[in-house]
Amino acid sequence: MRIAMVGTGYVGLVSGACFSEFGIEVVCIDKDEEKIARLGRGEIPIYEPGLAALIVNNARDGRLSFTGDLRAAVGTADAVFIAVGTPSRRGDGHADLSYVYAAAREIASALAGYTVVVTKSTVPVGTGREVQRIIRGMRPDADFDMVSNPEFLREGSAIGDFMRPDRVVIGAESERARELMQRIYRPLYLIETPILFTGLETAELIKYAANSFLATKVSFINEIADLCEKLGTDVHDVSRGIGLDGRIGRKFLHPGPGYGGSCFPKDTVALVRIAQEAGVRLSIVETVVEANATRKARMAEKVIEACGGSLAGKTVAVLGLTFKPNTDDMRESASLEVIPALKRAGAVVRAFDPEGVPEAKRLLEGVVWCESAYGTLEGADALAILTEWNEFRALDLKRIKSLLKAPVVIDYRNIYRPEEMAAAGFRYTSLGRPSVEPE
Ligand SMILES: NC(=O)c1ccc[n+]([C@@H]2O[C@H](COP(=O)([O-])OP(=O)(O)OC[C@H]3O[C@@H](n4cnc5c(N)ncnc54)[C@H](O)[C@@H]3O)[C@@H](O)[C@H]2O)c1
């Protein structure tokens, strides 16, 4: 069994490495020559826990390789996965399918022998059918089947998610394609992973519906957190109180500064557009998109308020830049809205992130970049925690207090306890819980 993975990004690289761990021979392809060269030297272009070892071991055993030569890799593959990006198209929020269609054309010219062409990228309903049409149009002779196999892994726990998923969704139309996909996912059958076979379009829609539902859950608890702040109640108790109801479930009920990352923002907007084109209004998802954008835009106000209404001449220390811990992915991160807003309000911003700084430097200007959590705090008038990296969870409170000019902490991830912060002498603001003053 041989797989060609077209697109070696967060999804392609993890999926390729994990399939090779299943014992399959995998060639990962990317048009980014520098990325391929780095992988060839054993350098891992992204931060994802556990990924480096998986790549090194499987490359050493000859099951995993990297190339820029799509033709050779596709020509010998039993299955070709498309895992290229599908970002939001500028202007209208539709998924930009230019990378998918370009990949389809390249694949078409390289197909040889029976091949299953699989979309792993998140693509609007009808895209698989269009890829099939493109390939068929260019290569009427080609022996291939089209499959949709959306990916549900989360950055930061991608390998565990891929190796032990809640489910695998496979949209396929021929028995031959279903059988080949079953062979690819055989190790997951052995651990009794639910494998859901559907049609092409249904598989495509499942991915968007899943992400939009999760984004809705996050936005729901974020709004309940706003209400808790006004009512003097604790959002964590509310989350637990509702989450223990099996119909609701406990996960994704943690408030934050608004969802970000490479998926929820673009996928919610894309689903709204898919529905509009089908003549259906998804008013709930539309509202979620709007609520999240508004939330992110006003998150900096918490710092301004905690600092007494003005940031003119003040310095704010920001810990955490990535959209969540255990990744270096900065796409749509709350820090990209909060930091510019703090600067517009007159603050000098000092910032640190364990993995995100190189990418953050490309996206944010005029920030004082720091080398460590404690170093960031020196001389700052307030500390804002934006991402819940483990190393920020157990900072020495006495040391924080001695480094800050004023004992003001704004915790956007609720990683500290209000009572503990008050007792340690901080003015402490978090989400969905009463703010506290120093005891
Ligand atoms: N990142 C996630 O957590 C996640 C999770 C589930 C699904 N997805 C979906 O998976 C897809 C990929 O996401 P990603 O985060 O891995 O993107 P990414 O931007 O990290 O990677 C995409 C890669 O594809 C390469 N590429 C583009 N066109 C190519 C071509 N014609 N030939 C070869 N390589 C090409 C790019 O150079 C890039 O390295 C998207 O549709 C996304 O929505 C992402």
Side-chain angles (χ1 to χ4, degrees):
M1 173 74 77
R2 286 171 145 225
I3 287 179
M5 184 67 64
V6 182
T8 307
Y10 285 86
V11 164
L13 186 55
V14 170
S15 310
C18 290
F19 281 140
S20 70
E21 182 72 12
F22 288 176
I24 299 169
E25 202 178 308
V26 179
V27 183
C28 288
I29 303 144
D30 207 285
K31 61 176 187 184
D32 179 341
E33 287 169 13
E34 196 199 320
K35 194 180 264 188
I36 293 298
R38 288 182 65 188
L39 283 160
R41 293 194 296 271
E43 291 170 27
I44 313 303
I46 56 169
Y47 177 76
E48 178 62 47
L51 183 59
L54 207 59
I55 290 176
V56 169
N57 292 343
N58 284 290
R60 185 200 52 216
D61 295 347
R63 281 189 300 269
L64 180 63
S65 60
F66 305 96
T67 183
D69 182 359
L70 181 141
R71 175 168 284 279
V74 167
T76 54
D78 300 289
V80 181
F81 283 75
I82 300 176
V84 301
T86 49
S88 266
R89 195 160 69 190
R90 215 177 284 242
D92 63 6
H94 265 291
D96 178 352
L97 295 173
S98 55
Y99 303 100
V100 172
Y101 294 149
R105 286 189 289 272
E106 289 175 62
I107 291 165
S109 62
L111 286 177
Y114 177 70
T115 316
V116 170
V117 178
V118 189
T119 48
K120 196 161 242 331
S121 299
T122 301
V123 291
V125 177
T127 306
R129 193 76 56 197
E130 180 60 17
V131 169
Q132 190 176 37
R133 205 188 56 77
I134 291 172
I135 299 176
R136 181 65 64 222
M138 286 177 66
R139 287 286 306 280
D141 63 305
D143 185 13
F144 78 103
D145 276 314
M146 201 62 220
V147 165
S148 164
N149 173 219
E151 183 49 56
F152 298 94
L153 63 78
R154 295 162 298 177
E155 288 172 18
S157 52
I159 291 167
D161 288 348
F162 195 95
M163 296 293 206
R164 289 176 299 283
D166 289 339
R167 81 312 207 176
V168 172
V169 172
I170 297 172
E173 290 176 331
S174 79
E175 201 42 47
R176 202 173 174 195
R178 274 190 284 272
E179 265 170 27
L180 193 120
M181 294 303 287
Q182 267 168 344
R183 270 167 58 208
I184 290 175
Y185 280 108
R186 203 179 115 75
L188 298 188
Y189 273 92
L190 300 179
I191 57 169
E192 295 181 4
T193 306
I195 313 248
L196 187 64
F197 284 101
T198 69
L200 271 183
E201 284 78 6
T202 306
E204 291 169 340
L205 184 56
I206 286 171
K207 174 63 191 177
Y208 281 103
N211 272 359
S212 297
F213 190 87
L214 292 171
T216 303
K217 212 171 170 188
V218 170
S219 292
F220 179 83
I221 205 64
N222 281 341
E223 289 202 333
I224 294 293
D226 289 347
L227 183 60
C228 287
E229 284 167 27
K230 294 290 177 214
L231 299 179
T233 49
D234 185 329
V235 69
H236 292 297
D237 291 337
V238 178
S239 288
R240 206 169 140 70
I242 65 173
L244 285 168
D245 183 327
R247 292 169 301 178
I248 296 174
R250 292 173 66 172
K251 292 183 181 164
F252 268 69
L253 287 178
H254 195 88
Y259 60 75
S262 67
C263 293
F264 287 4
K266 77 171 175 63
D267 292 348
T268 43
V269 175
L271 182 60
V272 167
R273 296 280 173 268
I274 292 168
Q276 280 170 350
E277 279 188 357
V280 174
R281 180 150 180 235
L282 293 187
S283 60
I284 294 173
V285 186
E286 279 178 21
T287 305
V288 165
V289 170
E290 191 199 312
N292 196 60
T294 313
R295 180 174 188 81
K296 275 174 154 174
R298 63 177 170 71
M299 272 296 116
E301 285 165 22
K302 290 205 169 282
V303 179
I304 300 171
E305 257 170 51
C307 289
S310 168
L311 290 182
K314 295 202 168 145
T315 298
V316 178
V318 171
L319 291 184
L321 297 163
T322 50
F323 84 96
K324 66 162 151 177
N326 292 323
T327 179
D328 55 355
D329 200 339
M330 286 289 300
R331 287 178 280 188
E332 305 282 336
S333 176
S335 67
L336 298 177
E337 298 231 18
V338 173
I339 289 177
L342 296 176
K343 286 175 53 211
R344 281 196 300 277
V348 169
V349 175
R350 298 168 62 77
F352 169 72
D353 185 280
E355 296 291 336
V357 173
E359 184 59 12
K361 281 183 179 171
R362 292 198 324 108
L363 301 169
L364 291 164
E365 284 178 347
V367 174
V368 181
W369 301 109
C370 301
E371 307 266 304
S372 69
Y374 290 114
T376 315
L377 308 181
E378 278 170 31
D381 296 275
L383 159 62
I385 303 171
L386 272 176
T387 318
E388 68 278 32
W389 284 89
N390 273 343
E391 69 167 272
F392 303 153
R393 286 178 184 272
L395 294 169
D396 178 343
L397 297 182
K398 279 206 186 99
R399 198 166 161 202
I400 299 183
K401 195 149 175 261
S402 71
L403 290 165
L404 288 175
K405 248 196 292 182
V408 177
V409 175
I410 304 91
D411 178 358
Y412 289 97
R413 301 293 180 169
N414 292 4
I415 58 181
Y416 287 96
R417 295 214 316 274
E419 325 78 80
E420 183 190 20
M421 295 304 276
F426 289 96
R427 166 186 283 189
Y428 175 76
T429 307
S430 54
L431 302 182
R433 304 184 295 185
S435 295
V436 293
E437 294 291 331
E439 271 173 12

